[in-house]
C-alpha cells in the first residue's frame, strides 16, 4: 500500500477560537465585501446605490486573534504612511455550498465575531488610480484582527445592533448593522455563485463611514452589540 507523500515542511493552520467550546475554527478563506454601507461608499468616492456587490480576499494567515479583555499589540505595517481602521461584523461559514438561495443562506453560518479590515490606504488608492489590483493595500500580515467566534446557537443572527469603533476613547465610526447595503444572506448567495463556499470561510461584511488613520501608540476599540469588544494598540513598524 502506497504511503501518503511526505510534506517538505509543516505549514501552520490559521484558527480562530470559539467562545464556550474547547475547539477552534480552522480558517479556509477570508472574503471581504467592499463599500457595503452607503455613507462609506460616498466617502470612498463611489455611488452608494445598489450596484452589484464586489469582493476581495485576504490570506487565511492574515488573522490576528484578539481575546476579550486584552489589548493586543498590532504592528504598524511596512510601506505605508496612511494606515486605516475599518470595523466589521465577521460571519463564519460552517456549511458549504454553491448557488445558495438567499432564503437558505443564513443556515450556512456557524457564528459571528468582531473584526477589523486594516488597510494600507495610500497603497490601495495608488493601485486603484492606475487600475491595478490593490491586494497590497488589503492582504498583508495581521490585516484581519478578529475576536473569538460566537456560535449562532449562543448569539442568534446579528442583523440590527450597533457597530462602532473608537480610537483613544473617541468614537470615530458609529452605525448599525441594519445599514448594510447588501445583507449577509445576499452576500452569501452572491459569493456562492462565484466560489464554492466551504466550512472555514470567513466573510467580512463591510464597514460604516468615517474610516481613518492610526499611528503607533493609538488604541483601537471595536464594538458590535452582542459580542465582546476587540482592542488593539498600534505599535512601531514590525
Amino acid at each position: 500500500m502506497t504511503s501518503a507523500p511526505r510534506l517538505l515542511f509543516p505549514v501552520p493552520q490559521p484558527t480562530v477560537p470559539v467562545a464556550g467550546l474547547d475547539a477552534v475554527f480552522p480558517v479556509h478563506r477570508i472574503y471581504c465585501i467592499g463599500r457595503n454601507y452607503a455613507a462609506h461608499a460616498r466617502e470612498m468616492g463611489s455611488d452608494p446605490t445598489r450596484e452589484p456587490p464586489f469582493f476581495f480576499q485576504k490570506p487565511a494567515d492574515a488573522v490576528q486573534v484578539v481575546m476579550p479583555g486584552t489589548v493586543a499589540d498590532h504592528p504598524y505595517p511596512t510601506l505605508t504612511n496612511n494606515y486605516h481602521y475599518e470595523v466589521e461584523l465577521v460571519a463564519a461559514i460552517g456549511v458549504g455550498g454553491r448557488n445558495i438561495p438567499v432564503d437558505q443562506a443564513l443556515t450556512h453560518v456557524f457564528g459571528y465575531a468582531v473584526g477589523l479590515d486594516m488597510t494600507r490606504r495610500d497603497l490601495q488608492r495608488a493601485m486603484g488610480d492606475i487600475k491595478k489590483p490593490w491586494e497590497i493595500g488589503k492582504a498583508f500580515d495581521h490585516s484581519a484582527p478578529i475576536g473569538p467566534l460566537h456560535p449562532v446557537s449562543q448569539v442568534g443572527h446579528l442583523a440590527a445592533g450597533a457597530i462602532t469603533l473608537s480610537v483613544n476613547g473617541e468614537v470615530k465610526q458609529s452605525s448599525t448593522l441594519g445599514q448594510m447595503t447588501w445583507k449577509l444572506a445576499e452576500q452569501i448567495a452572491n459569493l456562492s455563485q462565484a466560489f464554492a463556499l466551504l466550512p472555514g470561510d470567513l466573510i467580512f461584511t463591510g464597514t460604516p463611514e468615517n474610516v481613518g488613520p492610526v499611528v503607533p501608540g493609538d488604541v483601537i476599540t471595536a464594538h458590535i452589540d452582542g459580542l465582546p469588544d476587540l482592542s488593539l494598540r498600534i505599535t512601531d513598524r514590525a
Side-chain angles (χ1 to χ4, degrees):
M1 185 173 180
T2 304
S3 60
R6 177 179 61 87
L7 292 175
L8 289 176
F9 45 81
V11 177
Q13 166 66 64
T15 61
V16 179
V18 179
L21 298 180
D22 184 19
V24 293
F25 182 90
V27 180
H28 175 244
R29 292 179 179 171
I30 300 175
Y31 297 100
C32 307
I33 189 170
R35 301 174 185 175
N36 197 35
Y37 289 72
H40 175 57
R42 293 188 191 98
E43 74 179 353
M44 298 303 291
S46 179
D47 183 347
T49 57
R50 280 175 58 95
E51 61 187 4
F54 72 94
F55 298 88
F56 58 93
Q57 293 188 41
K58 293 175 182 273
D61 63 359
V63 294
Q64 178 189 3
V65 173
V66 181
M67 297 305 292
T70 69
V71 181
D73 286 343
H74 178 85
Y76 196 97
T78 61
L79 302 180
T80 184
N81 292 301
N82 192 18
Y83 192 42
H84 280 209
Y85 52 78
E86 298 187 11
V87 60
E88 309 207 6
L89 176 68
V90 182
I93 298 298
V95 178
R98 286 184 180 271
N99 299 315
I100 299 168
V102 171
D103 62 357
Q104 297 177 23
L106 294 184
T107 66
H108 292 255
V109 178
F110 168 78
Y112 297 95
V114 178
L116 292 168
D117 169 17
M118 300 302 291
T119 303
R120 299 192 280 204
R121 189 73 70 201
D122 43 0
L123 300 184
Q124 181 195 22
R125 286 173 172 160
M127 292 297 102
D129 288 345
I130 58 176
K131 304 294 191 281
K132 291 187 176 180
W134 34 260
E135 277 85 353
I136 194 170
K138 289 286 192 177
F140 51 92
D141 296 345
H142 311 294
S143 62
I146 188 171
L149 286 167
H150 286 68
V152 170
S153 59
Q154 296 179 17
V155 299
H157 288 291
L158 306 180
I163 176 170
T164 65
L165 182 141
S166 300
V167 178
N168 302 327
E170 180 182 352
V171 175
K172 299 291 187 178
Q173 293 185 272
S174 180
S175 188
T176 67
L177 300 176
Q179 293 300 307
M180 289 184 191
T181 301
W182 295 92
K183 310 307 182 188
L184 175 58
E186 296 172 312
Q187 294 180 49
I188 292 170
N190 190 280
L191 271 171
S192 71
Q193 295 174 21
F195 307 96
L197 291 181
L198 293 175
D201 288 341
L202 298 176
I203 301 174
F204 280 61
T205 61
T207 195
E209 69 275 16
N210 296 327
V211 299
V214 285
V215 298
D218 285 344
V219 174
I220 298 171
T221 300
H223 170 84
I224 295 174
D225 283 357
L227 298 172
D229 291 353
L230 180 159
S231 294
L232 296 177
R233 177 181 294 104
I234 308 300
T235 62
D236 290 334
R237 293 183 192 271

